[in-house]
């Protein structure tokens, strides 16, 4: 009697965006020098942009920014000609209230490269009847494989008495 009770629920909107890094997965190695970086991002109001950060150049820098919209987005960034090494990456997303956030932890990935193997080299002259070194000589690498599936180029360094006389890059 005479006591008034009031109750209201308050919802607070406009929290910082969320970021989940997907690809390349954390602590993975890949021999490709081209990578697609992917992150899922979300916001309670409106997404504006996403920026890829990495240290591929040797410094932690923004690499590229894309405009995005909506409240949920799967964002891709393409980076080419990555040299062999181990790198960090992350994505920062911003909303229309200038609130920005990166994923809680940076992801790590490595670009690897293993030298190709060759099990046999055939050396032939242009005159099989004499088959001596006074003729033109051709080199035929055989059974060449590359563990990463990279294209293999034959580079032959001809030497006489330990001195290089010709360096041939084939095919040409």
């Amino acid at each position: 009697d005479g006591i008034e009770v009031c109750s209201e629920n308050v919802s607070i909107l406009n929290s910082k965006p969320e970021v989940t890094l997907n690809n390349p997965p954390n602590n993975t190695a890949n021999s490709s020098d081209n990578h697609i970086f992917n992150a899922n991002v979300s916001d309670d109001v409106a997404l504006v942009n996403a920026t890829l950060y990495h240290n591929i150049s040797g410094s932690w820098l923004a690499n590229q920014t894309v405009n995005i919209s909506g409240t949920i987005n799967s964002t891709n960034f393409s980076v080419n000609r990555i040299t062999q090494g181990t790198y960090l990456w992350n994505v920062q997303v911003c909303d229309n209230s200038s609130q920005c956030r990166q994923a809680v932890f940076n992801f790590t990935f490595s670009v690897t490269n293993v030298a190709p193997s060759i099990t046999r080299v055939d050396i032939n002259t242009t005159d099989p009847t004499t088959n001596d070194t006074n003729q033109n000589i051709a080199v035929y690498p055989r059974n060449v494989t590359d563990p990463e599936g990279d294209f293999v180029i034959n580079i032959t360094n001809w030497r006489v008495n330990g001195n290089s006389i010709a360096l041939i890059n084939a095919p040409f």
Side-chain angles (χ1 to χ4, degrees):
D1 296 329
I3 298 175
E4 188 175 319
V5 176
C6 293
S7 174
E8 293 185 35
N9 290 329
V10 176
S11 295
I12 299 174
L13 298 176
N14 207 11
S15 59
K16 287 186 176 182
E18 296 292 328
V19 181
T20 303
L21 303 178
N22 297 319
N23 194 57
N26 197 23
N27 296 317
T28 57
N30 189 314
S31 62
S32 175
D33 63 349
N34 302 315
H35 282 273
I36 302 293
F37 296 83
N38 173 267
N40 289 340
V41 297
S42 63
D43 188 58
D44 58 351
V45 179
L47 297 164
V48 173
N49 62 49
T51 302
L52 173 67
Y53 282 81
H54 59 64
N55 66 343
I56 293 170
S57 68
S59 299
W60 183 255
L61 298 170
N63 175 260
Q64 50 188 290
T65 299
V66 294
N67 293 326
I68 56 177
S69 60
T71 58
I72 298 174
N73 190 282
S74 180
T75 305
N76 290 322
F77 303 91
S78 179
V79 179
N80 300 318
R81 292 179 295 233
I82 304 171
T83 58
Q84 185 175 349
T86 300
Y87 306 104
L88 298 172
W89 73 279
N90 206 327
V91 171
Q92 176 178 283
V93 62
C94 298
D95 66 15
N96 67 347
S97 297
S98 298
Q99 295 188 97
C100 300
R101 176 180 282 168
Q102 290 187 352
V104 176
F105 299 103
N106 296 329
F107 271 22
T108 301
F109 76 102
S110 297
V111 174
T112 61
N113 196 4
V114 177
S117 66
I118 184 167
T119 58
R120 186 176 122 204
V121 175
D122 292 341
I123 301 174
N124 293 323
T125 67
T126 52
D127 183 357
T129 59
T130 60
N131 201 26
D132 62 16
T133 58
N134 291 324
Q135 309 298 318
N136 290 326
I137 299 175
V139 175
Y140 301 97
R142 305 287 188 213
N143 303 325
V144 179
T145 58
D146 186 80
E148 289 92 18
D150 295 335
F151 181 73
V152 178
I153 297 173
N154 174 32
I155 301 174
T156 302
N157 188 359
W158 291 102
R159 295 178 172 270
V160 173
N161 297 324
N163 296 315
S164 179
I165 60 168
L167 185 63
I168 303 169
N169 296 304
F172 39 84

